[in-house]
Amino acid sequence: AGPVLFADPKVDGLAISLRYEHGELVEALTRGDGEKGDLVTGNVRAIRAIPLKLRAPRQQRWGGAIPAVLEVRGEIFMPIKEFERINAEREKHGEELFANARNSCVGTLKNKDPKIVASRRLSFVAHGRGEGLGLARRLGVVQQRRASASACASDVISTGPMSQGGVFTRSRSQSIASA
């Protein structure tokens, strides 16, 4: 039994940090230059894939409460079909086409008009691992699908609704992976 390869798609979008207080979205910040990001809360509120209010699961066994503060990190992206739709519309009106989905996403989010943001149908996935992320999933935050493990690299590289900027990979030997 050889090594097993795990791969997660690198979503080609804009890194974002969402801050919820008592279940309400109160702040959305881009990563910016690593020290100072842009406050884009108003525009993020126009993205349907991002819950404005967290909801407690209906499961009776939940028994938990929405935390006072929860920070969710993820990626805002423009789905490929939306990028194609926008460019077709721009072409029809004789406007310059957008170069790629990532730059279109970034430009859309930095736009000062939330109506334009809403019209461009951006999406969002949370990423990372940990207890906080599992809680976010239970409270209604959409998360990135993980590729399944495989012994063959071509099996874990897939296409999805978003543009991929690459693939994060890690490997473990078969004996460790099955333990």
Side-chain angles (χ1 to χ4, degrees), residues 115-175:
K115 289 179 185 177
I116 290 174
V117 176
S119 76
R120 293 199 178 154
R121 304 178 194 146
L122 299 179
S123 198
F124 170 80
V125 289
H127 55 65
R129 289 181 171 30
E131 188 176 332
L133 192 62
L135 176 61
R137 178 178 40 251
R138 290 192 300 270
L139 297 174
V141 178
V142 175
Q143 295 182 15
Q144 182 171 329
R145 252 183 353 159
R146 302 248 179 241
S148 57
S150 175
C152 178
S154 64
D155 290 344
V156 296
I157 298 172
S158 65
T159 58
M162 76 277 290
S163 175
Q164 289 182 214
V167 176
F168 293 113
T169 60
R170 59 195 183 282
S171 67
R172 291 192 279 179
S173 73
Q174 184 65 40
S175 61

Side-chain angles (χ1 to χ4, degrees), residues 15-65:
I16 195 85
S17 177
L18 306 174
R19 182 180 173 90
Y20 290 88
E21 292 180 3
H22 304 286
E24 302 279 339
L25 177 66
V26 296
E27 187 175 73
L29 287 167
T30 66
R31 183 178 60 208
D33 63 7
E35 290 189 29
K36 182 179 181 234
D38 295 318
L39 183 64
V40 291
T41 311
N43 281 345
V44 164
R45 290 179 184 279
I47 300 172
R48 291 182 186 168
I50 296 177
L52 302 179
K53 184 174 179 130
L54 300 176
R55 57 179 166 68
R58 295 183 183 156
Q59 304 164 347
Q60 291 181 353
R61 60 188 162 108
W62 163 248

